């Protein structure tokens, strides 16, 4: 079941992917794809894999 917070992470990932598609500089493209991956980690609940979960605010911090 999707919650408001889950939906937030999914929409943020989509926004980052859109930004990556529009970016021209390779470093910006890489940064947007990386952020999208972090948001998708949170959406799919893989908080225990690497540091990605610590870079996106916890649900209580939004």
């Amino acid at each position: 079941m999707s919650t408001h917070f889950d939906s937030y992470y999914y929409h943020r990932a989509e926004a980052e992917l859109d930004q990556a598609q529009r970016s021209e500089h390779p470093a910006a493209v890489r940064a947007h794809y990386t952020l999208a991956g972090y948001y998708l980690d949170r959406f799919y609940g893989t908080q225990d894999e690497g540091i990605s979960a610590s870079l996106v605010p916890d649900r209580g911090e939004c």
Side-chain angles (χ1 to χ4, degrees), residues 3-44:
T3 66
H4 169 72
F5 293 113
D6 290 339
S7 164
Y8 168 80
Y9 293 122
Y10 183 82
H11 290 296
R12 286 302 311 143
E14 287 288 326
E16 292 298 336
L17 292 173
D18 288 342
Q19 283 295 98
Q21 292 293 320
R22 285 185 243 149
S23 296
E24 295 181 16
H25 195 281
V29 172
R30 184 173 43 250
H32 287 297
Y33 277 122
T34 299
L35 286 171
Y38 293 149
Y39 283 119
L40 289 173
D41 283 349
R42 291 304 297 262
F43 179 74
Y44 288 107

